[in-house]
Amino acid sequence: MAAAAVVRGIGSNLSKNLREVRLHLCQISAASQGTRDFIEQHYVTLKTANPEFPILIRECSGVQPVLWARYGFGKEHSISLDNMNADQVAKALESVVNAKP
Amino acid sequence: MSSSSSSATAGAAAVVSSTPAGPNMVEVFVDGKPVMVEPGTTVLQTCEKVGVQIPRFCYHDRLSVAGNCRMCLVEIEKAPKPVAACAMPVMKGWNILTNSEKTRKAREGVMEFLLSNHPLDCPICDQGGECDLQDQSMMFGADRSRFTEGKRAVEDKNIGPLIKTIMTRCIHCTRCVRFASEVAGVEDLGTTGRGNSMQIGTYVEKMFMSELSGNVIDLCPVGALTSKPYAFTTESIDVLDAVGSNIVVSTRGGEVMRILPRLNEDLLKYENILSPFTHTHAQLCHLKTTDFIQGSEVGAIAGGMVDAEALVALKDLLNRLDSDTLCTEEIFPMAGAGTDLRSNYLLNSRITGIEECDLMLLVGTNPRYEAPLFNARVRKSWLHNELQVAMVGHKVDLSYSYNHLGETTQVLQEIAAGTHPFCKVLAQAKKPVVVVGSSALQREDGAAIFKAVSTIAQNSRASSGVEEGWKVLNVLHRVASQVAALDLGYKRGVDAIRKNPPKVLFLLGADADCITRADLPKDSFIIYQGHHGDVGAVMADVILPGAAYTEKNGTYVNTEGRAQQTRVAVTAPGMAREDWKILRAISELAGVTLPYDTVDEVRRRLEEVSPNLVRYDDVEESNYFKQAHELSKAVNQSLLAAPLVPPQLTVKDFYMTDPISRASQTMAKCVKAATEGAASVDEPSIC
């Protein structure tokens, strides 16, 4: 699966530029299905490789799925994960990991 | 009646009631209006369904039926005598006449009897204006008196420093007796004597020693039981434990005088009003500071009663100074999924789930004093739904019987491994619930305890075959701000500060003495922001006066994950301000101005961090238990041999557990009374 490869690629580098990652998703909507799948399948791998890094998963009914990335000095960046599948979510995560704040 | 024929058919659409016609519904008439009810419904409940309120004193919908006041007597057409509406189940075809001649005469008669021995205390009675007797005598009583005899008087009883008793006013409705026996589980109150010499009391001089004792003040329909510390209003939530009970705060001048319960079915029906108190704010100075440092040199600790707005403002402020050292005083295990997944730190089954479960396992908690309303629900379920409760932890009196499995971590380990005899019971439960107390997780082996509890929860879920939506694992918090802080991404426990002591430490309402000056570098600068500075303020260089929960519009999240709002009941004294506003001002001085100026903008920011924080009064479902469990399995910590003993064991530990109650004179009296007996507390002799 492409997502698994991306997650392997990220490895333990979550904290390279980032300070915190937040995933907002809806528990049941179709638009959040990809995000839900991503968490279901890859969260454990990601967390095991980055045990001290905060990956806040915040489920809330009716919200649009969003990936929030916080860098140093409070700078934040968000990416909408609306209707993305798990692979695309992984790619979005990869992009914020590698982006310089 | 012409309308009766139309509702004789199966469809109940013609009727006021919203329940669809079940197979067994009974048709009854209230003043000629037909209504379908389930068999077993009482006359009083039937009338309420139609919207007719029948007057009553002894009936309370949360207590057992007594039927001793007789105020609810109503006439049934073609019946020889009026019936007590609160106790009589309806029969098919009855026509209940709620305003007929006979009914009215009955009410006037009962009222006359009740008033015959009732003292003429209205002008000096605390209950005046909210007295059931006053209201019902105006509506249903006779307009003239025939009373020329003498009234009886009864001695006042001393049942503790919170409840003022003037037993002459008692009308013997026995609500307090039933409450004490059924809901609180302490069978201290009862009736002695009969007829004219009947008295309600404890018979021997005994304190009504229960964490729920203050509720009888609200229950008593007359001014017999009133609040000793006391007196007027707005609606808020209680943040002295993590249940977030809904309350109405009554104030006079600038002081909080009393706290009343507010009905919220999902949380609880009785609020704990053992916390009427008066604030005594000392004069706090307000200094400005313009030197700020950056990065890991600045850290913050958030205390137990901080609202979410202040928490997010503090986090944003420190993040902008490039610091991530934001900690809560209360520890939660960092290992495994930690606080990434909300399901790891919430009371997932919710308080309503207690009524559906059939087996509850408590680990390392004394819910009676940590979350009394949670305990009252468990007791209710134990009484009515045959809930079995088992406990691993120090043996305490929970007001209901339970299976004490032991207090060592060894027991916990055996249950997790499947070798303990209790596992068989657990495997047979259809809807099991496991509750671990937050005090157990404060220990050094907190992660290992959590791992064991998580294993037990997963195993019992698998063996019970319960459906996907049922949650087994629960954490019972004791601290009101903890869940919001965890939702926002705070680090748990002050280890991060210990490892990297900052030069500037911000204490936001932090009074639990986790970090002292000795832990920090020599010239460190401590800022304390809060409302009742005890330990935290004493060691600070600067003290900024914040507002208490009754003085601000704040968001708190309870142990279930339900966000609720407090509202302003009193204005904050002196120069105290809402906490987030102070932080916003500081951010400007520090050159990192926060991007919000109004509370709505702060709440929009809250939504950006964790959207459930602005979903007021709702609980959002959290999932991913399997993932959390997988990560917790990797935790490599072993359980310590120390037994699981929660910090609050007896009632005297209950009254002073946070800075607000430690500052309260009334709470001090309660502790004294609990330790030395009711007579030891000196009360002024005014009535």
Side-chain angles (χ1 to χ4, degrees), chain B residues 161-164 217 226-231 257-258 276-278 666:
Chain B
L162 290 174
I163 306 174
K164 178 164 90 175
I217 298 170
T226 50
S227 170
K228 245 186 213 169
Y230 149 157
M257 301 260 84
R258 73 174 181 183
F277 52 74
T278 55
T666 307

Side-chain angles (χ1 to χ4, degrees), chain B residues 565-580:
Chain B
Q565 277 188 50
T566 59
R567 301 226 162 76
V568 179
V570 242
T571 41
M575 295 188 70
R577 296 284 181 274
E578 291 189 12
D579 292 284
W580 74 266

Side-chain angles (χ1 to χ4, degrees), chain B residues 158-165 207-217 225-230 272-277 654-655 664-671 673 681 683:
Chain B
N158 184 0
I159 53 178
L162 290 174
I163 306 174
K164 178 164 90 175
T165 61
M207 264 224 304
F208 181 22
M209 211 69 266
S210 163
E211 70 285 1
L212 297 173
S213 65
N215 286 287
V216 293
I217 298 170
L225 300 176
T226 50
S227 170
K228 245 186 213 169
Y230 149 157
N272 169 13
I273 47 173
L274 275 198
S275 47
F277 52 74
F654 175 65
Y655 295 108
S664 157
Q665 282 184 351
T666 307
M667 291 297 110
K669 283 190 196 153
C670 288
V671 178
V681 180
E683 296 289 358

Side-chain angles (χ1 to χ4, degrees), chain A residues 19-20 22 24 27 36 40 43 47-48 55 57-61 63 68 70 72-74 76, chain B residues 315 319-320 322 324 339-340 342 345 486-487 605 608-611 615 620-623 627 631:
Chain A
R19 300 302 182 90
E20 177 186 281
R22 304 195 290 269
H24 292 180
Q27 297 95 330
R36 288 197 294 275
E40 189 90 33
Y43 166 70
K47 186 71 181 185
T48 317
I55 308 169
I57 295 172
R58 298 289 174 258
E59 301 163 89
C60 187
S61 55
V63 301
W68 280 94
R70 176 164 69 82
F73 294 95
E76 290 193 355
Chain B
K315 184 156 193 279
N319 287 157
R320 274 151 211 266
D322 203 27
D324 280 295
T339 52
D340 286 355
R342 294 187 78 224
Y345 58 83
L486 299 183
D487 280 342
R605 173 66 186 151
E608 273 180 13
V609 181
S610 185
R615 289 295 171 88
E620 289 294 332
E621 298 284 336
S622 11
N623 305 297
Q627 281 73 15
L631 284 166

